[in-house]
Each structure stands twice: as C-alpha cells, then as structure tokens.
Amino acid sequence: MTTPLVIPARLLPADGRFGSGPSKIRRAQIDALVEAGTTVMGTSHRQAPVKSLVRRVREGLAELFSLPDGYEVVLGNGGSTAFWDVATLCLVREKAQHAVFGEFGGKFAAATSNAPFLADSQIISATPGTIALPQPADDVDVYAWPQNETSTGAMAPVRRVPGDGALTVIDATSGAGGLPVDVSETDAYYFAPQKSFASDGGLWLSVLSPAAIERAAQIESSGRWIPEFLSLTTAVTNSRADQTINTPAVATLIMLADQVEWMLAQGGLGWTMARSAESSSHLYAWAESRDWATPFVETPEERSAVVGTIDLDAAIDATEVVRVLRENGIVDVFPYRKLGRNQLRIAMFPAIDPDDVRALTDCIDYVVDALA
Ligand SMILES: *Cc1c(COP(=O)(O)O)cnc(C)c1O
C-alpha cells in the first residue's frame, strides 16, 4: 500500500466528521465561541454573563423537551460517567434494575452493583445488536436503561414500567436531542453535550422529575455519606441559581447554548428527529442494497436513528476502509473498540447534514470498490 487512495473531490461530504462523540460541531457554534471570546470566556462563572449562558441552556432544554410541570433541568461537571455515580449515590435507595445491551448500559450497571450500600443490582442483559427491556419487579426502586446504546447502534423505547414508586433513569447521552421522547415517562433523562448537542464534553445534564428530586432529598437526609461533588441536591440548588458547584467549561456552555437555540429555531425536537431519521433511513437502505454490507442491528425498529452500525463482509477489511476514509478527511467511523466487529459506525446526530451521509455512502462505495 504505497499509492494513497484518493477519493474524487466531487464525492466528498462538505463536512467529514461522523464520530459518535465527540461529534461534529457546527461552524456557527465555533463562531459563537469566537464572538463570546472576550466578553464571556475568561470571566467569572458566578457573574451574570456565564450565569445567563447557563440559563439559556436550561430554558432552551426545557422548551426542547416540553418539560412537564415540576420537572427541572439540572447540570453538573463530569459528563454522563459522573452522573452514573450521582445516580448510584442519590437516586437508588436499595436496589436498581438495569437493562443492559452494550458497554454504556453495562458501565452504569457496574456502578450500582459495586456500591457497598446497595443490594446487588438486577441485570437483564441482551446480546449486542439487540435490546433488553426492563421488567416489573417488586424489589427495585430504580429502572435504568440506555435510550441509545452508542456502542452498538441499538435504540430502546422509553416507557415507564407499570407499578408504583420506582424511578425511571434513562441514559440519553447519545439519544437526547435526536430521538423521540416523552420525558414524563422518565424521572431522570440524562445526557452530555458532546453527542446530539454538538458541543464539547465535560458536563452532565439531567431532566429531573419532582419524584427524582424528592428521592435525592430523602436519601441525602437518611445519613448516607455522599461526597458533595456527587450530591444531586447540591446540583439542583446550584442549577436553580444557574450555576454549577465548581467551575464549568465555559466554551462547552457557549457551544451547547448555541446548538439548543439552533435546534429550537429549526423547529425543535420534531425537526431534529426528522433530520436524523432522514440520514438513518438512507444509511440502512443503502447497507441493505449492498451485498457486502449489513445493518448490525437486525430488527429495523431497534436500529438507531442517531448512531448507525454497518457490518462489512469478511472479505473487506473495515479497518482499511476506515483508514482510507480518514486519509481523505472523513473521520471517526470506526466501530466501538470493545465490540470487535468488522464494522463501520456512523453518527447521524442532528448537526450532521443528511446530504453528507449520502455523500459518505458514495465514498464508502468508492473505497470498497477501489480496494477490491
Ligand atoms: C458517550 C456516552 C456516555 C459517556 O459520556 P461521558 O460524558 O463521556 O461520560 C455514556 N452513555 C452513553 C450512552 C454514551 O453514548
């Protein structure tokens, strides 16, 4: 392999970022960052300019998700991974049930299972490429599952399990903003800014129900030791004042606020969902029409509209395809590392133009043909 394989310029997407997180950030968000450069960047997060940024994020998300009465948008530092610890400490009273069908769902299940103050978690698992659903159980007080399993490209419905008293805690890190949701079916719908919200990482955001806020208050007053950084009630108090407990990444907030307002200006969640659905219907139809490509998720309704996984025939080395695409400016379409499949994984978050997804599949056709 000495002569580099050059994809003709006419086939290339306008933007070559298809990574599943960090993901494509729109040019206008970078412009917003530059504009806020000297007025907001490098200024105190306890003063009006940064606090109004946090308020824009909270109010924008409240509108985007049509928040039911009493629900609140809460945020803190540390990304979704930190929220797993927050939820383990502040939302699970005695026992959690997890539906696990990939790496991310598995990590939260491990967090609650390893907590010495909780009973062993109940884990309902399914093989990667399929989904597991929660099942009614009398002894669990939290049901948890990912809306979109970013490691496999499978998505699951977000619907409460019948019964009283248990909280529904949904990992929407990659699903929020691009997949449909009725947040009244959840008590904590949490995510981070570096997926559909096209910003940088480092924050967690969670739409909380009154029951979740109440549960956190009860647990924290019960005497359980909770590090302040991971306290949900502390996060709620700070969020209500448009702050975080410690210094946030201001650039992340600027790009996040811009993305949320862009989504609203385009038509809100209905528009973003339709845009991701347009990209993903194209991707899956394309894969089905090639005899060397197959959608990894077999059941069509479980195929994610925001993260598509496409298996390639064993005769085609996906690593090689990924490498050639990268040399041509199309980046991050490798599969989730631990899945270990001969696969391409393609993000189709709302920031990604469906025309670019169409261009990408043309480029893949070109590369596969050239490598043959
Ligand atoms: C990316 C991702 C996470 C981890 O998010 P961080 O902000 O990096 O902690 C968790 N869950 C899902 C479903 C993800 O896609």
Side-chain angles (χ1 to χ4, degrees):
M1 258 280 144
T2 41
T3 8
L5 210 166
V6 179
I7 301 174
R10 67 185 158 82
L11 296 181
L12 293 173
D15 196 298
R17 291 171 292 174
F18 295 97
S20 299
S23 66
K24 178 187 167 188
I25 297 174
R26 289 175 307 107
R27 179 65 209 221
Q29 293 168 270
I30 304 289
D31 292 344
L33 194 55
V34 171
E35 213 163 292
T38 52
T39 49
V40 185
M41 289 293 290
T43 71
S44 169
H45 58 295
R46 306 283 178 222
Q47 298 301 314
V50 177
K51 288 175 71 156
S52 78
L53 202 54
V54 174
R55 190 173 61 247
R56 277 169 58 203
V57 168
R58 294 182 64 238
E59 287 178 354
L61 289 171
E63 190 180 339
L64 190 71
F65 293 119
S66 312
L67 246 54
D69 270 358
Y71 277 63
E72 295 184 41
V73 178
V74 174
L75 71 166
N77 285 312
S80 288
T81 301
F83 192 78
W84 290 329
D85 289 337
V86 171
T88 299
L89 282 154
C90 307
L91 292 178
V92 186
R93 190 185 290 131
E94 272 171 26
K95 181 172 177 175
Q97 181 193 93
H98 296 263
V100 175
F101 46 99
E103 280 293 320
F104 290 107
K107 285 182 187 182
F108 184 23
T112 62
S113 302
N114 292 336
F117 47 86
L118 298 177
D120 287 345
S121 300
Q122 183 188 356
I123 295 173
I124 298 166
S125 49
T127 44
T130 66
I131 63 168
L133 293 172
Q135 289 162 14
D138 289 337
D139 60 344
V140 308
D141 53 72
V142 160
Y143 292 105
W145 70 97
Q147 181 180 29
N148 189 72
E149 181 46 81
T150 322
S151 67
T152 68
M155 64 178 183
V158 174
R159 237 178 276 123
R160 285 185 189 280
V161 178
D164 282 338
L167 301 177
T168 301
V169 176
I170 300 296
D171 183 348
T173 309
S174 57
L179 298 185
V181 69
D182 171 358
V183 292
S184 72
E185 292 287 323
T186 72
D187 295 293
Y189 185 73
Y190 64 93
F191 49 94
Q194 73 276 21
K195 314 263 165 120
S196 276
F197 291 97
S199 183
D200 230 341
L203 285 178
W204 58 259
L205 298 114
S206 188
V207 174
L208 296 180
S209 72
I213 294 169
E214 171 70 21
R215 172 77 66 89
Q218 281 168 5
I219 290 178
E220 295 194 32
S221 63
S222 74
R224 180 183 295 175
W225 177 70
I226 293 169
E228 187 158 38
F229 183 66
L230 298 171
S231 157
L232 193 55
T233 59
T234 301
V236 169
T237 307
N238 276 287
S239 299
R240 283 174 181 162
D242 295 320
Q243 300 185 64
T244 44
I245 180 178
N246 64 324
T247 321
V250 177
T252 301
L253 287 167
I254 292 171
M255 293 186 289
L256 171 59
D258 190 82
Q259 179 72 353
V260 171
E261 287 165 7
W262 175 76
M263 287 172 159
L264 291 170
Q266 301 298 314
L269 206 53
W271 183 86
T272 61
M273 277 158 37
R275 190 160 148 103
S276 290
E278 180 184 344
S279 293
S280 57
S281 351
H282 167 74
L283 180 77
Y284 296 125
W286 165 82
E288 285 181 325
S289 70
R290 299 291 177 272
D291 54 13
W292 44 265
T294 322
F296 171 50
V297 177
E298 232 168 86
T299 309
E301 312 83 73
E302 295 169 3
R303 290 176 189 160
S304 169
V306 285
V307 174
T309 45
I310 306 297
D311 278 349
L312 300 187
D313 188 274
I316 302 162
D317 182 358
T319 310
E320 194 62 7
V321 176
V322 168
R323 188 186 62 75
V324 172
L325 289 170
R326 177 172 283 277
E327 282 174 2
N328 285 272
I330 296 170
V331 303
D332 299 341
V333 296
F334 41 77
Y336 190 77
R337 59 199 141 80
K338 286 192 207 145
L339 198 60
R341 294 187 73 87
N342 192 47
Q343 184 178 89
L344 304 176
R345 182 176 59 151
I346 294 149
M348 298 167 290
F349 297 130
I352 292 166
D353 193 326
D355 280 341
D356 279 350
V357 176
R358 286 184 275 267
L360 170 65
T361 54
D362 287 346
C363 290
I364 298 170
D365 282 340
Y366 184 89
V367 172
V368 167
D369 191 51
L371 289 174

